[in-house]
Amino acid sequence: MNLLAKKTNISNSFFIFRSLTQNYVKETVNAHEVEHHSSMKDYWWNSDGPLNALHSFNPLRVSFIINGLANMKKIETKNIGTSQSLENIKILDVGCGGGLLTEALARLNGNVTGIDPSKELITIANNHSVILRNKNIKYLNESIEDHALSNTKSYDAIVTSEVLEHVSNKYGFLTKCVDCLKPGGSLFITTPNRTVCSWLSVIVIGETFNFIPKGTHEWEKFICPHELQSILEINCKCDTIAINGLSYDPFKNRWSWTDLTDLSYALHAVKST
């Protein structure tokens, strides 16, 4: 379940980097992507609606973050497995949408900030968070570029889950995410792989048969684990700790860990001290 991608040599890594950034786009926010996801605001928190796969993904996402922080000795042993698991951990959820993962982390007593370029989704997130009284959670309608201007080296952990596949300028996006991390801080990413398997599963089956809202993904924007690892290690000065494969059964609406990364994967990296 916990497999590390094979490291490529330096020349291959730079070739990957050039291929990923040759059509360099300065902004990390795409207006079309923001508009498309904003259109989901009315059913974002409906666990039986079009985003049910995202809802069922939460337990694995949360466990991945807690286990990663525990392995890095960032969580007190006495708090693991309790409602205080993330006590005193400052977390940034980049591309938080309506707050599904942000709230789940706040419920574990994390000090969580969610940012998203969609004003409509931030409104949904704020409205829903009212039920979390006395929890350290806040939402900001801004991009990672804007947030990084005043939050350099501010967070113990940064999460960007099911977001990177919607970003054209991955280098710029990841660089700004890492800028917000404290030295030794953890970056957690989940995203689909760019394979025939993901094209068939996500685009052909997922969107054709309405397991995923149509038009949500562009397969060309997906990124392979070794490409992501190269950007993080060479350009962002992060060490890759783990790459875990993910599988999804749309008929049972169930996510599980797997040794294979053909469909999707979760990556944990740590910023150099």
Side-chain angles (χ1 to χ4, degrees):
M1 181 177 73
N2 186 10
L3 81 137
L4 287 174
K6 292 182 178 179
K7 292 179 180 288
T8 57
N9 60 42
I10 295 298
S11 60
N12 284 342
S13 296
F14 277 115
F15 173 79
I16 291 167
F17 169 70
R18 285 199 306 271
S19 68
L20 286 171
T21 57
Q22 59 185 351
N23 296 318
Y24 185 79
V25 179
K26 184 177 181 181
E27 296 80 11
T28 65
V29 177
N30 181 289
H32 171 73
E33 293 278 7
V34 174
E35 181 181 1
H36 177 75
H37 285 81
S38 296
S39 69
M40 305 177 193
K41 64 182 184 297
D42 292 336
Y43 51 79
W44 198 274
W45 279 96
N46 180 1
S47 60
D48 295 319
L51 297 179
N52 63 341
L54 202 57
H55 282 261
S56 67
F57 194 16
N58 249 15
L60 260 67
R61 297 196 288 184
V62 172
S63 68
F64 182 64
I65 294 165
I66 291 177
N67 290 338
L69 291 172
N71 289 338
M72 300 307 297
K73 311 299 183 185
K74 299 295 184 179
I75 297 178
E76 293 188 40
T77 304
K78 66 178 182 179
N79 291 336
I80 297 175
T82 73
S83 60
Q84 306 300 310
S85 292
L86 296 174
E87 185 177 28
N88 299 321
I89 303 295
K90 190 175 181 182
I91 303 172
L92 176 65
D93 185 3
V94 183
C96 66
L100 285 181
L101 182 56
T102 324
E103 275 200 20
L105 298 174
R107 290 179 187 277
L108 296 173
N109 215 33
N111 185 345
V112 192
T113 298
I115 64 172
D116 199 281
S118 168
K119 182 178 180 180
E120 290 87 348
L121 293 182
I122 288 295
T123 298
I124 293 295
N126 269 318
N127 291 342
H128 198 274
S129 69
V130 171
I131 63 175
L132 292 178
R133 296 179 180 179
N134 302 320
K135 293 294 183 181
N136 295 320
I137 184 171
K138 67 177 178 180
Y139 291 105
L140 300 171
N141 175 213
E142 60 185 13
S143 66
I144 185 61
E145 295 103 317
D146 292 336
H147 192 74
L149 292 175
S150 55
N151 291 278
T152 301
K153 300 179 181 179
S154 296
Y155 295 94
D156 301 299
I158 292 180
V159 181
T160 181
S161 181
E162 306 308 290
V163 174
L164 196 56
E165 64 270 24
H166 304 292
V167 177
S168 297
N169 179 9
K170 292 174 173 53
Y171 167 72
F173 178 84
L174 292 167
T175 299
K176 293 303 180 183
C177 284
V178 174
D179 283 348
C180 292
L181 267 182
K182 297 176 182 177
S186 289
L187 175 64
F188 298 97
I189 299 170
T190 70
T191 192
N193 198 347
R194 193 180 67 254
T195 61
V196 173
C197 176
S198 69
W199 176 74
L200 288 171
S201 300
V202 178
I203 307 297
V204 177
I205 297 175
E207 296 194 14
T208 301
F209 294 96
N210 296 317
F211 291 115
I212 303 169
K214 285 184 173 64
T216 298
H217 298 98
E218 297 175 44
W219 183 79
E220 294 80 8
K221 287 185 177 180
F222 291 6
I223 185 169
C224 299
H226 66 278
E227 296 171 341
L228 177 54
Q229 187 177 358
S230 293
I231 293 177
L232 291 174
E233 295 190 355
I234 296 174
N235 302 97
C236 299
K237 307 305 178 186
C238 289
D239 296 319
T240 303
I241 304 301
I243 300 176
N244 297 352
L246 289 159
S247 66
Y248 175 68
D249 184 341
F251 301 101
K252 295 181 180 179
N253 189 28
R254 183 181 300 167
W255 290 86
S256 59
W257 296 113
T258 175
D259 289 336
L260 303 176
T261 60
D262 291 3
L263 174 62
S264 187
Y265 60 97
L267 182 146
H268 175 202
V270 171
K271 184 177 182 178
S272 299
T273 55

